[in-house]
Amino acid sequence: MPNLSDLLKKINWERLGQTTFRRILLSRILLLSVPVLLLGEYVTYRKSRSGLLETARQNLPESAVRKGERIQELVKALRAAVIGAGESAILQSDSIEAWEKFLQQLEKQLPTEVRCIQLTNIETGKIAVSTCGNRQIKLPKETQQWRAIRDGAIPNASDIKVTFVLPPKQPSAPQLTLLLSYPVYDQNTGQLRYALKLESNLLKPEEDKRRSFSGYTVVIDHDGTILTHPDYRRIGRNIRQEEDEDTVKRLTSIVGNAIAGNTDFIHLFAFQKQGEELLAGYTAIPSPISTAEPNRKWIVLAVTRLENALAGLEEIQSILLTLILSLLGANLLATIYLSRDLARPLEQLGEYAGSVQARSSLERIPHNFKIREFNQLAEALDSMVERLTEWARELETAWKEAKVANELKNEFLANISHELRTPLNAIIGCIRLVRDGCCDDEEEEKEFLQRADDAAIHLLDIINDVLDIAKIEAGTLSVVLEPVNLHKVIKEVIDLQENNIRQKGLQLNINEYQELLVVEADPAKLKQVLLNVVGNAIKFTDTGSITITTCREENAATTEGVTESRAIVTIRDTGIGIDVSQQHKLFQPFVMVDGKRTRKYGGTGLGLAISRNLVELMGGTISLYSAGVGQGTTVKISLVISDLLPKRALASSEQKDATQPSEAPPP
């Protein structure tokens, strides 16, 4: 035979190699769907990137064209302003104050950043008027220029000279500075006397903004000299001096294509800093600098970093990530929903079998499977488990009831043995004192005999209670209903308990209904109930009062839904009270609530249980309420009012009862 440990190891290894049907189904579907979704996300990302690059290819050349047009407009405006100022009558006059005022106004009206405007004497070279102090603007080959203009016959617009000035090598240096000069003639003699010079910055330093396809401006001269660039160290350097050979080739290609009249787009590398990829659109404009070459060009580039052009791709990435997660979640939910019809029947049967094995709370297994064999198996399992569960429930209930009954009977036997022993000891002691002649006189003998008689009556009451509860449990206790004067019965009970009330010094309050109340009851049993309730009120009240109230309640609803008139008897005391959480136990036989507090008052715990059964046999109800410990107790008894017997017949019956000798009240 195989060893038990080997068999267990084999079983464990077999379980470790197993998996669930749902897990297999989910893994297979996800293994097919997840790669497809990821591939779709990658294709979408590549398409988005290509779209943004295509947008840059279209916008950057257009931006370069706009930048070139803007430079041409600014140069044209400066030329027109300088020509207009040079030919104005103010500068041709001899008023220096008028010159200063005119140049200040001209500086404010120009669309560019003007660094200096000055009027210098051609003969002496001294500054006549200047907006920049004593700093003198010097032009290359200035003497030859004015000599050629002086030898000219008639002054014209071609006399204006435009020169490019390289800024100093510093980060805050201005971008693309031009010098313009124009001759000013004397108004009276017509002779050339002054030169009007203007120094202005065409462009301001620009930043390459994210998600912008306008880019920053780079201007390259016809010969390849960089005229403006965000990196001030490159200004004035020729493109052939770039360190990266690929960049030199690409820039040379840009210059050649732009001079040939092409407007296009190109990728650049290491044109701003090493390892950085740039996108550039380019075009060419006529060079505004006055030279002997009329076809000289400026190449204008709109340049932006690749990461700025693709900045919108970050949002697309986040959207794609959200989308792929949503699709994965939707796919997972769809897979779970699909697997429910396939795997759930097996899982439910397995769970049901596991819960039966674990003896946990069971729910009926569904019978709505789409597979007929599963439904048949579910019905068979349900039927078997229901029978087993019912048998187990019956056994458990019977065991609990037997356990509770045994505990109550044990407690009752302990209480009843004490209650029986006390009066028996009193009876035996009193009788022996009389028998042994220990009494001084006849009165003392009578007193001991009376004590023995009282103890015997108390013992009889206990025995009667035990017999009554035995009859109740056996179902043999019966009552004989007849019309009873409720006020008369209450009066008899008060007469019997009056001595006990007086001995404890309690106050008795009686609030009777003004009219006659005739109820359907067993007179002896009703008196027994009232004696028990009033006796409890007296027993558990040390100080205060006991109040008995009767009233009539019309149209009281019964348990069968029929309305009828009822008489209500309420006994309220100011005694020790009862804890609210313990009040539901009071009408159970053999039960005494809080025995530590009530043991000194005595009793078997059967009184209220017997009273409840007697009242219910007479068609009435009894209830008890206490606000809590030390707040008194209220007992309410409800009895059906009888209207069958005329009041006159009832009165004659009561008179007849009064003439008969009174009997001891029933226990």
Side-chain angles (χ1 to χ4, degrees):
M1 293 182 63
N3 191 5
L4 180 60
S5 61
D6 296 337
L7 182 60
L8 290 176
K9 290 180 181 179
K10 181 179 179 181
I11 294 174
N12 291 335
W13 278 110
E14 289 178 354
R15 289 185 177 180
L16 288 175
Q18 294 177 356
T19 184
T20 62
F21 178 74
R22 183 186 292 265
R23 186 177 299 171
I24 294 175
L25 187 62
L26 288 174
S27 61
R28 297 299 185 272
I29 295 177
L30 291 177
L31 283 176
L32 292 175
S33 59
V34 171
V36 174
L37 291 175
L38 293 177
L39 179 61
E41 181 184 11
Y42 175 75
V43 172
T44 305
Y45 173 79
R46 297 300 301 177
K47 287 288 185 182
S48 301
R49 190 177 188 277
S50 300
L52 290 175
L53 288 177
E54 184 62 29
T55 303
R57 289 189 181 97
Q58 295 177 1
N59 288 351
L60 285 175
E62 294 177 1
S63 177
V65 171
R66 290 194 299 271
K67 291 177 183 294
E69 292 174 351
R70 177 61 176 167
I71 292 174
Q72 288 180 298
E73 291 174 359
L74 293 175
V75 173
K76 185 177 179 181
L78 291 176
R79 290 173 65 92
V82 171
I83 292 173
E87 294 179 354
S88 66
I90 297 176
L91 293 184
Q92 293 178 2
S93 66
D94 295 330
S95 176
I96 297 177
E97 294 180 359
W99 295 349
E100 292 178 351
K101 185 176 181 181
F102 179 77
L103 293 183
Q104 291 175 357
Q105 292 177 351
L106 178 63
E107 183 180 16
K108 295 178 181 179
Q109 294 172 358
L110 292 176
T112 60
E113 181 183 357
V114 178
R115 301 183 64 188
C116 186
I117 304 176
Q118 62 183 219
L119 194 64
T120 59
N121 191 303
I122 293 178
E123 295 294 338
T124 63
K126 294 182 178 181
I127 300 174
V129 179
S130 177
T131 61
C132 57
N134 296 326
R135 183 173 68 86
Q136 189 170 15
I137 301 175
K138 293 183 180 182
L139 300 173
K141 300 180 182 180
E142 184 175 3
T143 304
Q144 293 86 342
Q145 174 188 350
W146 302 130
R147 184 181 295 114
I149 293 174
R150 184 184 300 148
D151 295 340
I154 301 173
N156 52 56
S158 63
D159 292 339
I160 188 169
K161 301 298 179 182
V162 181
T163 304
F164 175 76
V165 179
L166 290 174
K169 297 290 185 177
Q170 54 186 16
S172 60
Q175 297 281 323
L176 199 58
T177 302
L178 293 183
L179 296 179
L180 293 85
S181 63
Y182 190 76
V184 178
Y185 295 85
D186 186 271
Q187 184 177 11
N188 298 322
T189 63
Q191 297 296 321
L192 178 61
R193 294 179 56 189
Y194 298 100
L196 178 62
K197 302 176 185 179
L198 185 145
E199 182 180 357
S200 176
N201 299 329
L202 289 184
L203 302 178
K204 296 180 180 179
E206 297 177 293
E207 294 182 359
D208 187 13
K209 299 180 180 179
R210 292 171 61 84
R211 304 183 185 180
S212 174
F213 296 104
S214 60
Y216 57 83
T217 305
V218 175
V219 180
I220 303 176
D221 197 7
H222 192 99
D223 60 359
T225 302
I226 300 174
L227 304 180
T228 178
H229 193 282
D231 186 359
Y232 68 93
R233 293 168 294 185
R234 279 186 164 87
I235 298 176
R237 189 168 64 177
N238 197 282
I239 58 174
R240 297 178 181 82
Q241 298 175 346
E242 291 290 329
E243 298 176 358
D244 186 67
E245 294 182 0
D246 183 69
T247 303
V248 173
K249 292 179 181 179
R250 290 175 182 269
L251 291 175
T252 304
S253 174
I254 289 173
V255 172
N257 291 335
I259 292 174
N262 297 326
T263 300
D264 207 348
F265 171 89
I266 196 170
H267 284 260
L268 292 175
F269 298 92
F271 188 47
Q272 184 167 346
K273 63 181 181 180
Q274 193 68 27
E276 187 174 48
E277 184 176 357
L278 304 173
L279 306 176
Y282 59 88
T283 188
I285 61 173
S287 175
I289 300 175
S290 302
T291 62
E293 301 177 15
N295 295 326
R296 194 174 184 86
K297 301 286 187 179
W298 274 8
I299 294 83
V300 181
L301 289 81
V303 184
T304 185
R305 289 184 295 177
L306 178 63
E307 61 182 25
N308 289 341
L310 298 180
L313 200 60
E314 297 176 358
E315 291 186 359
I316 296 176
Q317 285 178 330
S318 62
I319 293 173
L320 287 176
L321 180 60
T322 304
L323 181 61
I324 191 65
L325 292 177
S326 301
L327 289 176
L328 287 174
N331 182 46
L332 181 61
L333 291 177
T335 303
I336 294 174
Y337 180 79
L338 177 63
S339 65
R340 182 182 63 181
D341 294 336
L342 300 177
R344 188 55 183 163
L346 291 174
E347 293 175 353
Q348 287 180 328
L349 290 174
E351 292 172 358
Y352 188 72
S355 62
V356 171
Q357 182 181 7
R359 297 180 177 85
S360 59
S361 59
L362 300 177
E363 296 182 359
R364 185 176 178 84
I365 190 170
H367 294 172
N368 55 352
F369 298 130
K370 296 181 180 180
I371 303 174
R372 181 175 57 188
E373 288 77 9
F374 284 161
N375 290 328
Q376 293 174 351
L377 180 59
E379 291 177 0
L381 287 174
D382 267 343
S383 177
M384 177 184 67
V385 171
E386 284 179 0
R387 290 195 300 269
L388 293 175
T389 303
E390 186 64 29
W391 294 343
R393 188 181 296 112
E394 291 176 358
L395 289 174
E396 185 177 3
T397 301
W399 177 78
K400 289 181 178 179
E401 290 177 352
K403 183 178 180 181
V404 172
N406 186 53
E407 292 176 355
L408 292 176
K409 290 295 177 63
N410 290 336
E411 184 178 354
F412 171 74
L413 289 176
N415 293 336
I416 201 67
S417 62
H418 175 77
E419 295 296 330
L420 291 174
R421 184 169 57 251
T422 301
L424 279 175
N425 288 334
I427 293 171
I428 294 172
C430 292
I431 292 176
R432 286 181 177 178
L433 288 174
V434 175
R435 183 196 64 183
D436 295 338
C438 297
C439 300
D440 296 335
D441 51 24
E442 185 179 354
E443 290 297 328
E444 190 173 4
E445 289 180 357
K446 290 182 179 180
E447 181 181 354
F448 282 119
L449 290 175
Q450 183 62 43
R451 291 181 182 178
D453 182 70
D454 293 340
I457 295 298
H458 178 62
L459 182 61
L460 180 62
D461 290 340
I462 294 174
I463 295 173
N464 285 333
D465 285 345
V466 175
L467 293 176
D468 285 344
I469 201 67
K471 290 180 180 180
I472 291 172
E473 290 189 343
T476 58
L477 183 65
S478 61
V479 295
V480 179
L481 299 180
E482 60 181 72
V484 177
N485 186 345
L486 181 60
H487 292 164
K488 176 186 175 185
V489 177
I490 292 175
K491 185 176 183 305
E492 292 175 356
V493 170
I494 292 172
D495 291 341
L496 292 173
Q497 297 290 351
E498 185 176 5
N499 186 41
N500 295 332
I501 294 173
R502 188 181 303 109
Q503 288 180 355
K504 297 194 72 173
L506 302 177
Q507 180 181 356
L508 179 63
N509 301 318
I510 301 175
N511 300 321
E512 290 188 345
Y513 188 67
Q514 298 300 323
E515 299 180 4
L516 181 64
L517 291 176
V518 180
V519 297
E520 293 182 0
D522 187 319
K525 302 300 183 185
L526 178 58
K527 182 183 294 186
Q528 180 180 351
V529 170
L530 291 174
L531 280 171
N532 182 271
V533 175
V534 175
N536 283 343
I538 297 171
K539 181 193 303 183
F540 297 111
T541 303
D542 295 328
T543 59
S545 62
I546 298 173
T547 303
I548 302 175
T549 304
T550 57
C551 64
R552 182 186 180 107
E553 183 178 350
E554 302 292 342
N555 300 324
T558 63
T559 56
E560 292 80 9
V562 181
T563 58
E564 57 189 3
S565 299
R566 284 180 172 268
I568 308 298
V569 182
T570 304
I571 298 94
R572 182 181 294 106
D573 63 64
T574 60
I576 63 175
I578 305 167
D579 188 358
V580 177
S581 62
Q582 301 292 325
Q583 294 177 19
H584 66 283
K585 301 180 181 179
L586 287 172
F587 292 100
Q588 299 178 10
F590 315 118
V591 175
M592 294 182 68
V593 177
D594 196 1
K596 293 181 179 180
R597 289 196 311 128
T598 59
R599 171 54 54 204
K600 65 179 182 178
Y601 299 102
T604 61
L606 299 176
L608 287 178
I610 296 172
S611 298
R612 184 194 64 179
N613 284 274
L614 292 176
V615 171
E616 290 178 353
L617 287 174
M618 291 184 288
T621 60
I622 182 171
S623 61
L624 182 145
Y625 171 76
S626 175
V629 177
Q631 301 186 45
T633 306
T634 300
V635 179
K636 182 182 291 186
I637 301 172
S638 173
L639 298 169
V640 179
I641 293 179
S642 175
D643 294 329
L644 299 177
L645 190 64
K647 296 181 180 180
R648 183 177 301 174
L650 180 63
S652 62
S653 176
E654 293 177 356
Q655 184 177 4
K656 181 179 178 181
D657 293 339
T659 58
Q660 295 178 357
S662 61
E663 299 178 358

